[in-house]
Amino acid sequence: MNRQNLLSIAGDLGQPQGHPGLVLLSSRELDKMRRAGRLAANLLNHLESMVQPGVSTQALNDEAARWMQAHGATSATLGYAPPDHPPFTGSICTSINEVVCHGIPNPKHILKDGDIINIDVTPRLDGYHGDTSKTFLVGNVSATARKLVEATQASMMRGIAEIKPGARIGDIGAAIQEYAEAKGFSVVRDMVGHGIGRQMHTELQIPHFGERGSGLKLRPGMVFTVEPMLNEGTSTLKFLADRWTVITKDKKLSAQFEHTVAVTEEGVEILTLP
């Protein structure tokens, strides 16, 4: 999510005194987040078999909407409209090749052999949100595309491995940045992970770059997304006229992976696993 938008969409969240933007979820709320997270992960798994040359992003969207309804959930993205944005028209986000994030499903967007596509899903179940994404390979992709996708997933997991009580938000971003840049890729800085729970986005921001030992200290009950976006070339972005679609300025490839995680007394729990 764009950093500036997060600041404007966060509402009155019952934040602990002295920690603006911080929401700690109860054990009951975490159980609801686990259910929503598992549902989101299962939705991605369900869509995976459809990721084939010749399939439109609209077909992926329509099947996701049908599946969510059949499982008692709704899409948090459909109709979502932060300040200065028109309502989002997709039940999922579908971002192909140079599209960094927030790609809008469209019947004219047809997957081709060699594409990569990030599918980002956020079902709302019993008032709580599960948020996860994965970049899929379409047919036979280039060695560069495969390396980018693998590095993006690995960087996310390295960031998640830093999460534990007493660690700092900067530790997450530093681990991601160190790994990504060592692999020859750039880290998108204008989009960040975010707090999540009863609202899809809360003010808490999780950059995917940074310095170890910096930022807010992590506490049990914090729930947020880790969702690095790595680019083949420059990290500079371009926003299209629809005010949603974000692409790489140099039109080179971008990949993203995302999990929703909870800080626990023991360390970290990934909530968006099947």
Side-chain angles (χ1 to χ4, degrees):
M1 186 66 184
N2 183 280
R3 285 182 287 180
Q4 294 302 316
N5 285 339
L6 277 174
L7 293 176
S8 59
I9 64 179
D12 180 7
L13 302 169
Q15 298 151 351
Q17 188 174 8
H19 294 277
L22 175 59
V23 179
L24 303 180
L25 299 190
S26 68
S27 59
R28 182 189 66 83
E29 290 176 306
L30 284 174
D31 282 341
K32 290 181 179 291
M33 288 296 293
R34 289 185 184 99
R35 290 183 59 223
R38 282 195 299 269
L39 188 80
N42 288 336
L43 173 55
L44 272 188
N45 281 356
H46 176 71
L47 295 175
E48 183 168 8
S49 64
M50 291 182 64
V51 180
Q52 302 288 342
V55 174
S56 73
T57 57
Q58 187 66 50
L60 291 167
N61 178 86
D62 293 348
E63 177 56 21
R66 184 205 66 78
W67 192 94
M68 280 186 274
Q69 183 178 31
H71 289 79
T74 58
S75 168
T77 61
L78 183 61
Y80 180 63
D84 299 322
H85 284 66
F88 193 79
T89 56
S91 295
I92 59 175
C93 299
T94 51
S95 304
I96 303 173
N97 294 337
E98 74 275 12
V99 179
V100 177
C101 60
H102 304 159
I104 303 171
N106 189 313
K108 296 181 180 179
H109 294 167
I110 308 296
L111 297 180
K112 303 185 303 295
D113 187 68
D115 284 344
I116 61 174
I117 177 173
N118 177 269
I119 301 178
D120 192 337
V121 302
T122 313
R124 183 190 299 110
L125 181 68
D126 195 21
Y128 289 79
H129 295 82
D131 194 358
T132 187
S133 84
K134 177 179 179 179
T135 299
F136 297 92
L137 309 177
V138 184
N140 299 305
V141 305
S142 68
T144 298
R146 185 178 297 275
K147 180 182 177 184
L148 172 64
V149 170
E150 291 174 350
T152 306
Q153 184 174 28
S155 72
M156 175 188 66
M157 296 308 298
R158 291 196 175 223
I160 291 172
E162 297 287 332
I163 299 171
K164 59 185 177 182
R168 300 278 182 173
I169 285 178
D171 300 339
I172 302 170
I176 292 169
Q177 182 180 6
E178 289 163 7
Y179 185 85
E181 293 179 351
K183 292 294 183 179
F185 300 116
S186 63
V187 180
V188 170
R189 295 177 176 233
D190 291 331
M191 300 290 168
V192 295
H194 53 86
I196 186 170
R198 286 172 293 175
Q199 294 192 15
M200 178 166 57
H201 297 116
T202 73
E203 190 177 338
L204 181 62
Q205 299 186 29
I206 311 296
H208 304 110
F209 64 95
E211 298 181 4
R212 293 183 182 277
S214 66
L216 189 67
K217 184 179 291 186
L218 302 181
R219 296 168 56 183
M222 294 173 67
V223 178
F224 50 84
T225 67
V226 179
E227 48 181 299
M229 304 163 206
L230 304 191
N231 293 349
E232 175 189 0
T234 180
S235 63
T236 307
L237 309 180
K238 178 180 179 181
F239 291 75
L240 299 189
D242 62 25
R243 298 188 183 179
W244 280 110
T245 308
V246 182
I247 67 172
T248 56
K249 188 173 183 179
D250 57 12
K251 301 290 184 69
K252 292 186 177 181
L253 295 175
S254 182
Q256 180 189 16
F257 281 80
E258 175 182 16
H259 272 312
T260 298
V261 302
V263 183
T264 68
E265 296 288 350
E266 296 75 27
V268 62
E269 179 183 353
I270 300 175
L271 301 178
T272 42
L273 293 175

Short mmCIF file of all heavy atoms in Angstrom, two decimals, residues 153-163 171-172 175-176 179:
data_model
loop_
_atom_site.label_atom_id
_atom_site.label_comp_id
_atom_site.label_asym_id
_atom_site.label_seq_id
_atom_site.Cartn_x
_atom_site.Cartn_y
_atom_site.Cartn_z
N GLN A 153 10.42 -14.17 -3.24
CA GLN A 153 9.86 -15.04 -2.21
C GLN A 153 10.87 -15.27 -1.09
O GLN A 153 10.51 -15.21 0.10
CB GLN A 153 9.43 -16.37 -2.81
CG GLN A 153 8.74 -17.28 -1.80
CD GLN A 153 8.18 -18.54 -2.44
OE1 GLN A 153 8.69 -19.02 -3.46
NE2 GLN A 153 7.13 -19.08 -1.86
N ALA A 154 12.11 -15.51 -1.46
CA ALA A 154 13.14 -15.75 -0.44
C ALA A 154 13.37 -14.51 0.43
O ALA A 154 13.57 -14.62 1.65
CB ALA A 154 14.43 -16.18 -1.11
N SER A 155 13.33 -13.33 -0.18
CA SER A 155 13.53 -12.10 0.60
C SER A 155 12.39 -11.91 1.60
O SER A 155 12.62 -11.47 2.74
CB SER A 155 13.66 -10.89 -0.32
OG SER A 155 12.43 -10.53 -0.91
N MET A 156 11.17 -12.22 1.18
CA MET A 156 10.05 -12.12 2.12
C MET A 156 10.26 -13.03 3.32
O MET A 156 10.07 -12.62 4.48
CB MET A 156 8.74 -12.51 1.42
CG MET A 156 7.54 -12.57 2.36
SD MET A 156 6.04 -13.24 1.58
CE MET A 156 6.56 -14.95 1.27
N MET A 157 10.67 -14.26 3.07
CA MET A 157 10.87 -15.21 4.17
C MET A 157 12.01 -14.78 5.07
O MET A 157 11.96 -15.00 6.29
CB MET A 157 11.11 -16.61 3.62
CG MET A 157 9.92 -17.19 2.85
SD MET A 157 8.34 -17.12 3.77
CE MET A 157 8.72 -18.15 5.19
N ARG A 158 13.03 -14.15 4.52
CA ARG A 158 14.13 -13.64 5.36
C ARG A 158 13.64 -12.50 6.25
O ARG A 158 14.05 -12.39 7.40
CB ARG A 158 15.29 -13.20 4.48
CG ARG A 158 15.98 -14.40 3.82
CD ARG A 158 17.33 -14.06 3.28
NE ARG A 158 17.95 -15.29 2.77
CZ ARG A 158 19.20 -15.62 2.96
NH1 ARG A 158 19.99 -14.83 3.68
NH2 ARG A 158 19.70 -16.73 2.45
N GLY A 159 12.77 -11.67 5.71
CA GLY A 159 12.21 -10.61 6.53
C GLY A 159 11.35 -11.16 7.64
O GLY A 159 11.45 -10.74 8.79
N ILE A 160 10.51 -12.15 7.33
CA ILE A 160 9.64 -12.76 8.33
C ILE A 160 10.46 -13.42 9.43
O ILE A 160 10.08 -13.40 10.61
CB ILE A 160 8.68 -13.75 7.65
CG1 ILE A 160 7.66 -12.99 6.78
CG2 ILE A 160 7.96 -14.62 8.69
CD1 ILE A 160 6.78 -13.88 5.93
N ALA A 161 11.60 -14.00 9.07
CA ALA A 161 12.44 -14.69 10.05
C ALA A 161 12.99 -13.74 11.11
O ALA A 161 13.42 -14.18 12.18
CB ALA A 161 13.58 -15.41 9.34
N GLU A 162 12.98 -12.45 10.84
CA GLU A 162 13.48 -11.46 11.81
C GLU A 162 12.45 -11.12 12.89
O GLU A 162 12.78 -10.48 13.89
CB GLU A 162 13.86 -10.17 11.07
CG GLU A 162 14.99 -10.31 10.08
CD GLU A 162 16.34 -10.48 10.76
OE1 GLU A 162 16.52 -9.99 11.88
OE2 GLU A 162 17.23 -11.10 10.14
N ILE A 163 11.20 -11.54 12.70
CA ILE A 163 10.11 -11.07 13.55
C ILE A 163 10.07 -11.85 14.86
O ILE A 163 10.00 -13.08 14.87
CB ILE A 163 8.77 -11.19 12.81
CG1 ILE A 163 8.79 -10.31 11.55
CG2 ILE A 163 7.62 -10.80 13.73
CD1 ILE A 163 7.59 -10.53 10.65
N ASP A 171 14.53 -4.16 11.28
CA ASP A 171 15.21 -5.45 11.08
C ASP A 171 14.59 -6.21 9.91
O ASP A 171 15.30 -6.90 9.17
CB ASP A 171 15.11 -6.31 12.35
CG ASP A 171 15.74 -5.65 13.56
OD1 ASP A 171 16.58 -4.74 13.39
OD2 ASP A 171 15.38 -6.03 14.69
N ILE A 172 13.28 -6.09 9.76
CA ILE A 172 12.57 -6.79 8.68
C ILE A 172 13.04 -6.24 7.33
O ILE A 172 13.44 -6.99 6.45
CB ILE A 172 11.05 -6.61 8.83
CG1 ILE A 172 10.58 -7.13 10.18
CG2 ILE A 172 10.32 -7.31 7.68
CD1 ILE A 172 9.12 -6.77 10.50
N ALA A 175 16.76 -7.04 6.37
CA ALA A 175 16.99 -8.41 5.89
C ALA A 175 16.54 -8.57 4.45
O ALA A 175 17.20 -9.22 3.64
CB ALA A 175 16.26 -9.40 6.79
N ILE A 176 15.38 -7.97 4.11
CA ILE A 176 14.87 -8.04 2.74
C ILE A 176 15.81 -7.32 1.79
O ILE A 176 16.19 -7.84 0.73
CB ILE A 176 13.46 -7.45 2.68
CG1 ILE A 176 12.47 -8.35 3.43
CG2 ILE A 176 13.02 -7.23 1.23
CD1 ILE A 176 11.11 -7.73 3.65
N TYR A 179 19.26 -9.09 1.13
CA TYR A 179 19.16 -10.26 0.25
C TYR A 179 18.85 -9.85 -1.19
O TYR A 179 19.50 -10.33 -2.13
CB TYR A 179 18.07 -11.21 0.77
CG TYR A 179 18.00 -12.49 -0.02
CD1 TYR A 179 18.83 -13.56 0.28
CD2 TYR A 179 17.11 -12.63 -1.08
CE1 TYR A 179 18.77 -14.74 -0.45
CE2 TYR A 179 17.04 -13.80 -1.82
CZ TYR A 179 17.87 -14.85 -1.50
OH TYR A 179 17.82 -16.00 -2.23
#
